[in-house]
Amino acid sequence: KAGDADPVSGFKSKSGRAFRDKCALLRFAFDAGIRICLGDDYGTLTTPHGLYGFEPGVFVDHASLTPLEVLYCATVNGAALVGNPDLGRIRPGALADIIVVEADPVDDVRVLSDPSNIVAVMREGALVIDRLPRGEKPETATDAHPRAARAARF
């Protein structure tokens, strides 16, 4: 099961050392203002498909970035990388492709690694997966979760 996997457990000693060295450089680069984005070469022995949700936790656990910094890298920096600064933001007029999860990923980004934590998915502002309790249907993307305003500060 993907939720039980450790995405870095398959590294051998030489590649593990290189991995640790790269992770140390990520913190240094972030602090220097270098834009870091999430995304990896999935489909290899050490990063099989289906483990994408583990990547934010790897950045927190091994590169010493905070969950909020990792979410910023995944959203705002990712949008800038593809040339669309309107992506990766929760605000009126934005595309509103968001997920709502059981817990606050700013407190524990690992909540993103378990698909059972997904409560709702909005695509272009419309709910496409809806496991929200009755009476809690959002009217807008920023209503989708009580913490959406916190995320909107990006």
Side-chain angles (χ1 to χ4, degrees):
K1 176 181 170 191
D4 297 332
D6 175 1
V8 295
S9 65
F11 287 108
K12 302 289 184 221
S13 61
K14 184 177 179 182
S15 62
R17 187 171 39 254
F19 173 79
R20 287 187 299 276
D21 291 345
K22 288 176 187 176
C23 287
L25 288 174
L26 283 173
R27 175 81 255 173
F28 179 79
F30 185 89
D31 290 341
I34 295 171
R35 208 177 266 167
I36 297 170
C37 299
L38 272 64
D40 214 318
D41 294 330
Y42 286 94
T44 68
L45 178 63
T46 57
T47 54
H49 291 290
L51 297 181
Y52 313 107
F54 283 95
E55 190 169 8
V58 171
F59 276 68
V60 169
D61 293 340
H62 299 281
S64 301
L65 295 178
T66 69
L68 187 59
E69 290 168 338
V70 172
L71 293 170
Y72 189 88
C73 292
T75 57
V76 176
N77 286 354
L81 177 69
V82 298
N84 189 342
D86 288 334
L87 297 175
R89 298 182 188 272
I90 301 173
R91 65 175 179 227
L95 289 177
D97 289 353
I98 63 172
I99 63 169
V100 179
V101 290
E102 236 1 275
D104 188 345
V106 173
D107 294 333
D108 184 4
V109 76
R110 287 162 208 81
V111 69
L112 301 172
S113 66
D114 185 351
S116 70
N117 288 322
I118 296 173
V119 175
V121 175
M122 293 184 87
R123 183 169 183 203
E124 297 178 7
L127 282 169
V128 293
I129 294 177
D130 181 1
R131 296 184 197 121
L132 293 165
R134 284 191 92 105
E136 294 188 22
K137 304 298 182 217
E139 292 183 26
T140 67
T142 53
D143 294 336
H145 196 278
R147 295 182 193 96
R150 182 177 178 181
R153 70 178 174 217
F154 286 148

